[in-house]
Amino acid sequence: MNERVSRLRLTALTLVVLALLSTLFVRLAYLQTIDRASLTQTANRQHIRDVVIPAPRGQIVDDRGRPLADNRSSLVVSVDTSALARQEDRGAAVLARLAGVTGIDLGRLRHQIIACAPHVAKPCWTGSPYQPVPILTNASARVVFAIAEHRESFPGVMVQTEPVRQYPMHAVAGQQVGYVGPVTQAELASRGTLNSDDLVGRSGLEQTYDVPLRGTDGTQVVSVDNRGLVTGTVSTTAPTAGDTVVTSIDAGVQQVAEQALARQLATTRAKTDPKTGRRYAATEGAAVVVDARTGHIVALASNPSYDPNVFIGGISERAYEALTGPNSNDPLVSRAVAGQFAPGSTFKLATASTILTDGQATTDSHTSCPPSLQVGNATKTNYDSESLGGQISVAQALAFSCDTFFYQYAMAAWYSDQSRVAAHHRPVEAMQAMARAYGFGSAPGLDVPAGEQTAGRIPDRATLKQEWTQNRSTYCANGRRGYPDVTDAARRAYLTEIAKENCTDGWRFRIGEAADMAIGQGETTVSPLQLAMAYTALVDGGLLYQPTIAKAIVDPSGHVVKTLTPAVRHRVPVSQALLTYIRSALTFGNGLRPSGETAFAGFPLDKLSIGGKTGTAESYGKQDTSWFASWAPSDHPQYVVVGMIAQAGTGASAAAPMVRKIYDGIYGLEGQRAVLAGGAPPSTLPAITPYTADGAQGEVVGPDVPQPTSGESPAITPSAYRSQRNRRRRWSS
Amino acid sequence: MVELIRRPTTTLRPIDAALRSSEPWWRVVDWVLAGCALVLGVIGSLLVWSATRTRQIDLGADPRAYLKRQVLNLALGLVLGVIVAAVEYRALRRWAPVVYAASCIGLLAVLAVGTTVNGAHSWIALPAGFEVQPSEFAKLGLIVSMALLLAERRRRDDLRRGFDVPLALGLAAVPMGLIMLQPDVGTVFVFVFVILAMLSVAGVSWRWIVGLVALGVVVAYLSVALHILKNYQLDRFKAFANPAAQNLDAGYNVHQAKIAIGSGGLTGTGLFQGSQTNGRFVPEQQTDFIFTVAGEEFGLLGAGAIVVLFAIMLWRALRIAGHSPDLFGRLVAVGVAAWFVCQVFVNIGMTLGIMPVTGLPLPFLSYGGSAMFANCVAVGLLQNVQMRNAIAPLRV
């Protein structure tokens, strides 16, 4: 009986055991199969962290592959805080030695490697707590050797080479190349591909082509333990280096232009202005070289300028003040693209085109060129009150640059328009229309940010009315108050006068303004680039290009991703015959002796025929703006070169000599060495040194950390890191 | 096990006892049982290695230090097990009171000079960094002495059977009370389970069984209601009842344990490859949560195999109980089986989130010498009973 009970209960116990173990098995299977996905996700969330490996930024090179912007290898000493935390003294000894070697104060060093958090005082590390903290950038070879030779004393310390943006030609084409700056919170929010450590193009080509230059950042997925210390690398996605932007800028021509500009400014400043009796201020200037056959920009020189390298690693407040302050003369602004100046007689290209096409004049008609002319209430004179006797043709008027000749047509057109306005018809305003056809009054659409190029100003009745409606109250208030802030009494009186006039009559397009526009004076302003594109239209059969600096986008493996050619905006409404007529009038050595020819006395026109138009623009309270717009060779133009120097006198005395120097440099004339063989820009794309993919990934190699791949530790020799441009490599010490 | 249940109670085994007595020992040892224990011990050593490796590296210590000590524990345990298995069956009965007394003294000593780990005052520190956990040996003492008491009283018919249970309970009360003082609720729970299993198989009235279970429920309720349990113990139960409350330490343990097991999947990450394990997200992983290493690094195949190995082991233990010709041997085997199944279920169950967190080690797998020795001795006891079965087959 007892035995039976015992057996029964033993059986029951067996069943209990079976039930319990089955429960365990079922539960185990449930967790590891059905519940697995969510548990694995949770697991990854807590022990997987992503660290961004920045992609090396692409280069910006000139037409022959010379880098205008590239990357140099900076030696960066970093501390693997995870490795330090695992050391017995939590890295105290290593940090002390590191402070000794680098000269960084130990207290500061200890602090700057702590990840920033609400309760952590600065300096602290703003980056990811899962990546090594850089403590010294641009480390000297002495520091690197000291660490490398005693690796055993520096566990958790590593030296890495990091690509750092640099502009090897410094200020050469600096304004066009632009610079990079740290990404903003707004950009992080709006552009999903950006990471918080990224640099973003802030100006020039760096900004326009930021996306192709940027490349794709890589990711290193690291595992962390329960204390958040990195235990190893799970996977690494190598970054893809950015594409190279090949420009049509020729660094040689660019340098020639910049030097010619700088020298001309210096030369002009040494001269005395006969009109004012003072030395020329020659405050600023620009030179533009356009490939007339393609519309590509070959050189864009502007003075003053700046070296974009000042922006590397963050610009100091003082350096920024020096670039933007009231006494800086605004070197960040390219006068060639963003400068607005009255074009003077160079604008007669548009005026002559107007009168030859609107039926007022023909290539055979003749008009007088009196020394002075009554225009409205004012008497306007030719420059130096000169005059050509008798009746002259449009060609002669252009070559001689007779203002009164063009006034007569402008006045006739103005009267005609006024009677249309009186009859409630739209004014024709043929001159403004022609000016716009040549690209004046609208942005040229160069491939730099829109804010860095100007549209200039071509006033007409509608625009004036609109502006007056908007600003009338300001004009009137200024007229009443009379500019008490302005110290110069004469200037104050002038400004007050203008304000009063604007208050009542600002909406009027008066006959004087029409006359001013005919000779590129008054409110008519253009940028040197706009003028160059207008003259390109003159010499290339009327095509108005949308100019570009970039020629091609080339990926890191050397494949051309995109070829960029300037688009034709439209054809100016001037016949080929008339364009030829105008060109011929302005060609040197053709007998008409155009005004610029004197500046080319002694120039080997037989080797390089030149055509060009000078301009001398008056500006209230300032000395004259000197212009010269030219092309060469005149029979089959390759280049259009425009020069402008502010407060420098006549076109023939400042801008034209500067442009002459530029031709000398390009073609190797007058004792100069040719910067372009045969004077032609390269027709093929330069070979771009491709990026090497290896080492571009910044694998963390630290002590105690299992190495994901065969972690290479290249011997540290000075030549080793000099050869590592565009690479990023880390090695443990 | 099915075969065991159906066996007629009165059938003699058809093997001559005399013939059996001449069998060499290797023919009568339960090799399946021994093999399971050994394999579990080896797997456990690997898991202990994996669980302690990265921390040892961080500390700059020998990454194999825990592995070496656990292998040593296993080796010593095997020696102890062999010795116990080889002791003459009658000697076991003689030694039972001594083992009981010794374990009670050990439990008293732990209260006097013991060290506290995780809130329980359960260890006695020995020289050279060794520690002894007397409550592990107390389990052996209880099983052997209680088996002796119940078997001896059953043989003498002069006393009324009604005294069996109070006497057995009195015997168990001393070590249980001492363990309660540590306090180590988990071990007390094992004691209760072992006592119930042994009393059942000893054939006591079912009223006693039901009454004891009811008493246990009332005591458990009162200890919560009257705040007799320590805060950390309550936390564990709260965490069990509400796993989302992960800010509680115990809830964190279970949560991390489940993550580790879940991320193992079917085949696991491979030894040393578990990120939960390498990242040391699971606290107490080499001891109480050793099963999570298996779950993460060996997956369902490996962890399931461990459960199956335990199942085979328990089957062999219950089989030995079923074949035992006398009540003492049967009760010893039942006690060991109840002990093992209780600890396996509570320990693995807590890592799977179906049992509250208690500080119970997983037999043969958790790191620790005392538990390993006690487990090996228990298997030695089973082998002893098994060999006795072979020599003197079942009779009524």
Side-chain angles (χ1 to χ4, degrees):
Chain A
M1 176 62 197
N2 277 338
E3 175 65 17
R4 240 190 41 245
V5 171
S6 176
R7 289 216 153 269
L8 257 162
R9 296 208 176 145
L10 191 58
T11 307
L13 180 64
T14 308
L15 290 174
V16 168
V17 167
L18 194 64
L20 291 177
L21 292 184
S22 303
T23 306
L24 288 184
F25 198 93
V26 168
R27 174 68 177 169
L28 180 67
Y30 173 79
L31 283 185
Q32 295 196 309
T33 52
I34 294 162
D35 219 13
R36 186 193 174 184
S38 72
L39 288 171
T40 309
Q41 214 174 14
T42 315
N44 287 345
R45 219 173 22 240
Q46 71 178 4
H47 53 65
I48 297 290
R49 297 286 183 278
D50 289 354
V51 177
V52 173
I53 309 170
R57 200 172 168 84
Q59 306 177 72
I60 299 173
V61 301
D62 85 340
D63 60 348
R64 281 186 277 176
R66 290 168 291 199
L68 299 170
D70 65 1
N71 306 303
R72 76 185 156 79
S73 294
S74 169
L75 285 161
V76 179
V77 178
S78 303
V79 169
D80 181 349
T81 46
S82 296
L84 288 193
R86 287 199 197 93
Q87 289 163 18
E88 225 162 87
D89 58 355
R90 304 191 70 77
V94 171
L95 286 180
R97 279 193 288 271
L98 198 55
V101 167
T102 56
I104 302 172
D105 175 66
L106 179 58
R108 194 191 155 77
L109 183 61
R110 280 206 197 108
H111 228 280
Q112 76 183 55
I113 63 169
I114 301 171
C116 288
H119 58 277
V120 174
K122 286 180 179 177
C124 55
W125 166 235
T126 54
S128 161
Y130 311 107
Q131 70 186 66
V133 181
I135 57 144
L136 183 66
T137 49
N138 288 323
S140 69
R142 183 190 62 78
V143 171
V144 173
F145 280 128
I147 294 168
E149 283 172 8
H150 303 284
R151 288 187 184 189
E152 68 288 349
S153 305
F154 294 97
V157 177
M158 53 192 70
V159 179
Q160 67 201 70
T161 59
E162 252 184 8
V164 174
R165 199 61 163 166
Q166 69 168 357
Y167 303 98
M169 299 216 184
H170 300 278
V172 174
Q175 286 155 333
Q176 279 68 54
V177 171
Y179 53 88
V180 291
V183 66
T184 63
Q185 284 303 319
E187 286 166 329
L188 280 176
S190 62
R191 285 173 64 182
T193 53
L194 291 177
N195 293 305
S196 58
D197 286 348
D198 280 349
L199 295 172
V200 175
R202 286 278 167 256
S203 171
L205 298 172
E206 290 272 35
Q207 183 176 342
T208 305
Y209 296 104
D210 186 62
V211 171
L213 284 169
R214 161 166 311 286
T216 311
D217 287 345
T219 312
Q220 184 184 30
V221 181
V222 296
S223 54
V224 297
D225 67 9
N226 58 335
R227 288 173 295 168
L229 305 182
V230 174
T231 53
T233 303
V234 177
S235 67
T236 305
T237 314
T240 311
D243 295 342
T244 296
V245 173
V246 180
T247 68
S248 55
I249 286 181
D250 184 273
V253 178
Q254 178 74 28
Q255 274 172 302
V256 163
E258 287 180 8
Q259 278 166 19
L261 175 59
R263 284 189 191 139
Q264 190 61 50
L265 285 168
T267 311
T268 306
R269 280 177 199 141
K271 286 199 224 162
T272 305
D273 178 3
K275 277 167 87 175
T276 60
R278 286 174 303 169
R279 294 278 171 86
Y280 283 111
T283 49
E284 56 206 310
V288 180
V289 180
V290 177
D291 183 341
R293 295 178 192 172
T294 63
H296 273 303
I297 300 295
V298 178
L300 274 173
S302 172
N303 194 302
S305 63
Y306 73 100
D307 179 352
N309 286 305
V310 300
F311 286 94
I312 305 289
I315 187 166
S316 71
E317 219 163 281
R318 218 173 124 190
Y320 192 69
E321 178 71 14
L323 293 178
T324 55
N327 298 319
S328 64
N329 198 13
D330 298 321
L332 295 183
V333 178
S334 167
R335 306 306 200 265
V337 185
Q340 300 187 59
F341 303 88
S345 299
T346 56
F347 193 75
K348 285 173 184 162
L349 163 64
T351 315
S353 299
T354 309
I355 61 173
L356 286 168
T357 52
D358 74 354
Q360 291 194 72
T362 67
T363 51
D364 299 324
S365 64
H366 291 74
T367 304
S368 64
C369 172
S372 68
L373 196 72
Q374 185 72 25
V375 178
N377 306 329
T379 304
K380 289 188 178 268
T381 63
N382 275 336
Y383 191 80
D384 287 345
S385 298
E386 283 177 320
S387 145
L388 279 179
Q391 304 281 306
I392 60 168
S393 67
V394 177
Q396 284 171 306
L398 270 175
F400 179 71
S401 204
C402 178
D403 291 347
T404 52
F405 177 93
F406 292 102
Y407 288 153
Q408 297 169 52
Y409 290 103
M411 286 161 72
W414 184 84
Y415 283 121
S416 159
D417 270 343
Q418 283 303 96
S419 45
R420 289 179 67 81
V421 170
H424 302 289
H425 290 297
R426 283 167 64 92
V428 175
E429 294 183 335
M431 197 154 60
Q432 285 93 332
M434 182 57 76
R436 286 193 200 100
Y438 274 106
F440 301 118
S442 62
L446 185 70
D447 48 353
V448 296
E452 296 177 19
Q453 46 193 317
T454 181
R457 180 172 167 81
I458 302 295
D460 60 20
R461 288 172 180 83
T463 321
L464 287 177
K465 183 82 177 265
Q466 195 198 341
E467 288 173 358
W468 179 76
T469 316
Q470 271 173 17
N471 304 319
R472 183 183 174 190
S473 53
T474 316
Y475 294 144
C476 297
N478 283 337
R480 282 195 303 275
R481 282 193 295 125
Y483 293 92
D485 304 341
V486 178
T487 46
D488 180 6
R491 183 168 172 76
R492 188 165 62 232
Y494 173 80
L495 289 173
T496 309
E497 181 74 10
I498 296 270
K500 280 180 178 164
E501 205 179 302
N502 276 337
C503 173
T504 53
D505 298 307
W507 60 276
R508 292 178 195 279
F509 183 68
R510 286 166 302 192
I511 191 164
E513 278 151 348
D516 279 349
M517 183 184 283
I519 61 161
Q521 300 275 17
E523 290 185 42
T524 307
T525 58
V526 307
S527 73
L529 176 64
Q530 282 179 307
L531 193 65
M533 296 327 290
Y535 274 80
T536 302
L538 168 69
V539 303
D540 69 2
L543 299 179
L544 183 74
Y545 283 110
Q546 178 181 344
T548 67
I549 301 175
K551 216 157 65 165
I553 311 283
V554 180
D555 74 12
S557 57
H559 293 113
V560 177
V561 177
K562 194 176 175 188
T563 307
L564 296 143
T565 42
V568 175
R569 293 172 69 185
H570 55 253
R571 189 180 282 273
V572 293
V574 184
S575 70
Q576 298 298 320
L578 286 178
L579 290 173
T580 310
Y581 173 79
I582 296 170
R583 273 206 307 276
S584 150
L586 295 172
T587 301
F588 297 173
N590 262 8
L592 284 177
R593 299 190 56 76
S595 50
E597 203 173 309
T598 50
F600 281 72
F603 186 85
L605 290 172
D606 53 329
K607 286 186 186 147
L608 182 68
S609 56
I610 303 230
K613 179 78 197 84
T614 54
T616 308
E618 290 172 3
S619 175
Y620 176 79
K622 290 179 176 169
Q623 293 160 315
D624 293 346
T625 308
S626 170
W627 285 94
F628 185 59
S630 69
W631 62 93
S634 62
D635 47 342
H636 184 42
Q638 174 72 62
Y639 299 109
V640 165
V641 182
V642 167
M644 183 281 297
I645 296 177
Q647 308 207 54
T650 64
S653 65
M658 170 179 78
V659 170
R660 176 175 176 168
K661 291 281 189 324
I662 295 173
Y663 284 122
D664 286 344
I666 295 174
Y667 288 94
L669 303 170
E670 304 189 277
Q672 300 298 309
R673 209 165 49 83
V675 293
L676 285 176
S683 54
T684 54
L685 287 178
I688 307 299
T689 323
Y691 286 104
T692 40
D694 75 312
Q697 51 198 14
E699 73 265 33
V700 181
V701 181
D704 306 343
V705 176
Q707 299 186 4
T709 53
S710 57
E712 51 187 319
S713 297
I716 307 181
T717 62
S719 64
Y721 37 86
R722 269 204 296 273
S723 67
Q724 285 173 3
R725 173 168 292 176
N726 288 332
R727 291 189 189 183
R728 179 192 170 97
R729 191 167 280 181
R730 295 175 172 182
W731 61 87
S732 158
S733 61
Chain B
M1 277 180 275
V2 174
E3 175 210 12
L4 173 81
I5 293 161
R6 285 182 183 162
R7 182 184 295 280
T9 51
T10 52
T11 308
L12 275 172
R13 296 178 72 174
I15 304 159
D16 178 41
L19 180 74
R20 281 302 207 94
S21 66
S22 66
E23 290 267 334
W25 63 270
W26 65 83
R27 294 286 296 272
V28 291
V29 164
D30 187 338
W31 287 112
V32 175
L33 174 64
C36 284
L38 187 65
V39 169
L40 283 170
V42 170
I43 293 175
S45 301
L46 285 177
L47 298 178
V48 165
W49 186 14
S50 182
T52 54
R53 193 178 52 95
T54 57
R55 187 182 61 186
Q56 290 291 99
I57 291 171
D58 279 3
L59 294 172
D62 176 11
R64 294 199 183 88
Y66 280 81
L67 169 71
K68 289 172 184 166
R69 270 194 267 169
Q70 185 71 347
V71 169
L72 181 67
N73 288 338
L74 180 59
L76 290 175
L78 285 175
V79 172
L80 285 175
V82 168
I83 291 171
V84 170
V87 169
E88 203 214 335
Y89 189 63
R90 286 174 200 285
L92 280 184
R93 293 169 176 245
R94 282 203 298 277
W95 282 94
V98 180
V99 173
Y100 175 79
S103 59
C104 286
I105 291 166
L107 288 171
L108 276 169
V110 84
L111 289 174
V113 298
T115 52
T116 304
V117 177
N118 290 336
H121 201 62
S122 311
W123 277 263
I124 297 175
L126 293 182
F130 285 97
E131 284 181 325
V132 173
Q133 199 179 359
S135 56
E136 287 296 331
F137 300 105
K139 291 168 191 165
L140 286 169
L142 176 86
I143 289 168
V144 178
S145 55
M146 214 164 109
L148 181 64
L149 182 133
L150 291 170
E152 287 296 319
R153 289 194 62 79
R154 288 269 303 274
R155 282 201 313 184
R156 286 188 244 147
D157 291 332
D158 51 317
L159 281 174
R160 283 175 57 198
R161 297 275 306 288
F163 287 104
D164 271 9
V165 179
L167 268 176
L169 292 179
L171 185 80
V174 178
M176 275 175 73
L178 292 171
I179 291 168
M180 246 335 186
L181 291 173
Q182 293 182 353
D184 184 350
V185 176
T187 303
V188 170
F189 181 70
V190 173
F191 270 53
V192 170
F193 192 82
V194 167
I195 291 163
L196 282 174
M198 289 178 74
L199 286 177
S200 298
V201 176
V204 303
S205 162
W206 62 270
R207 292 184 187 84
W208 273 111
I209 309 294
V210 172
L212 283 172
V213 170
L215 181 69
V217 170
V218 170
V219 167
Y221 174 77
L222 286 179
S223 51
V224 174
L226 301 176
H227 302 285
I228 291 167
L229 287 175
K230 303 281 179 190
N231 276 338
Y232 79 93
Q233 292 167 327
L234 275 177
D235 281 350
R236 288 172 175 179
F237 281 95
K238 281 182 199 162
F240 172 64
N242 178 17
Q246 284 160 29
N247 49 341
L248 297 172
D249 277 357
Y252 172 82
N253 286 14
V254 173
H255 183 66
Q256 296 296 345
K258 279 165 69 183
I259 290 173
I261 290 171
S263 54
L266 190 62
T267 54
T269 57
L271 188 63
F272 302 151
Q273 304 302 313
S275 21
Q276 278 288 105
T277 301
N278 288 341
R280 302 196 296 282
F281 287 93
V282 187
E284 303 295 328
Q285 206 179 8
Q286 76 276 20
T287 56
D288 296 350
F289 284 88
I290 192 72
F291 189 72
T292 61
V293 184
E296 182 176 31
E297 302 195 338
F298 298 149
L300 180 58
L301 293 180
I306 289 173
V307 176
V308 168
L309 282 170
F310 278 122
I312 295 171
M313 229 178 146
L314 289 163
W315 163 52
R316 299 307 286 194
L318 291 169
R319 184 173 172 273
I320 289 167
H323 287 184
S324 178
D326 59 39
L327 192 55
F328 174 76
R330 175 175 295 177
L331 289 181
V332 166
V334 162
V336 170
W339 165 17
F340 282 2
V341 77
C342 182
Q343 285 198 193
V344 166
F345 185 74
V346 170
N347 180 288
I348 297 183
M350 95 187 163
T351 66
L352 299 177
I354 55 172
M355 285 298 282
V357 175
T358 49
L360 283 179
L362 187 57
F364 297 102
L365 282 102
S366 288
Y367 174 76
S370 302
M372 179 66 87
F373 300 160
N375 295 334
C376 287
V377 167
V379 171
L381 282 174
L382 290 175
Q383 296 289 9
N384 198 317
V385 175
Q386 154 70 14
M387 288 191 283
R388 165 74 184 175
N389 293 351
I391 293 162
L394 185 74
R395 62 186 151 73
V396 178

